[in-house]
């Protein structure tokens, strides 16, 4: 699966660095994913979906679904679930408050 290989082959850290303004924020985001119990697949879907959306793709779920061999509805649900879990963590634990301003979670 092309999208999963691209992210799973080590570029997750590249994506974190692009999503977060500095290495401290990237580390904090990685910790937040763990703390919020966001699965590896949902993390990858979140990044890919957000990238496609930010790139102007009007149907990011279609593109991500094809890359991950998933249904479009499943992609949208995984994206919402991952973002919701991170937002809930940010709202409940002040340590993660700096992540609230990341475009990934807007």
């Amino acid at each position: 699966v092309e999208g999963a290989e691209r992210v799973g082959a080590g570029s997750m850290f590249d994506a974190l660095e692009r999503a977060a303004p500095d290495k401290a924020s990237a580390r904090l985001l990685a910790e937040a994913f763990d703390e919020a119990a966001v699965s590896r697949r949902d993390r990858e879907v979140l990044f890919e979906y957000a990238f496609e959306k930010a790139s102007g793709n009007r149907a990011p779920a279609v593109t991500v679904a094809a890359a991950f061999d998933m249904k479009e509805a499943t992609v949208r649900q995984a994206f919402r679930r991952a973002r919701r879990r991170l937002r809930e963590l940010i709202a409940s634990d002040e340590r993660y408050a700096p992540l609230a301003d990341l475009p990934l979670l807007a």
Side-chain angles (χ1 to χ4, degrees):
V1 179
E2 183 182 335
E5 288 174 13
R6 187 171 67 243
V7 174
S11 66
M12 177 64 86
F13 294 107
D14 294 336
L16 277 172
E17 288 179 5
R18 286 191 306 273
D22 55 53
K23 291 194 187 294
S25 294
R27 276 193 302 276
L28 188 61
L29 181 57
E31 290 173 20
F33 277 126
D34 290 340
E35 183 72 25
V38 177
S39 72
R40 176 79 179 187
R41 185 201 70 173
D42 285 1
R43 294 174 197 203
E44 294 170 355
V45 168
L46 175 70
F47 277 108
E48 291 294 325
Y49 188 98
F51 172 79
E52 290 296 329
K53 192 172 179 182
S55 295
N57 185 340
R58 292 173 165 245
V62 173
T63 304
V64 176
F68 286 87
D69 194 28
M70 297 168 66
K71 294 181 179 179
E72 295 168 29
T74 306
V75 167
R76 285 188 289 273
Q77 181 60 32
F79 175 75
R80 280 193 297 268
R81 180 177 44 244
R83 237 176 38 165
R84 185 191 75 239
R85 287 182 178 175
L86 289 170
R87 286 177 172 172
E88 287 173 356
L89 177 65
I90 290 166
S92 68
D93 188 334
E94 68 183 43
R95 182 176 151 220
Y96 297 103
L99 299 177
D101 295 330
L102 293 179
L104 180 69
L105 301 174

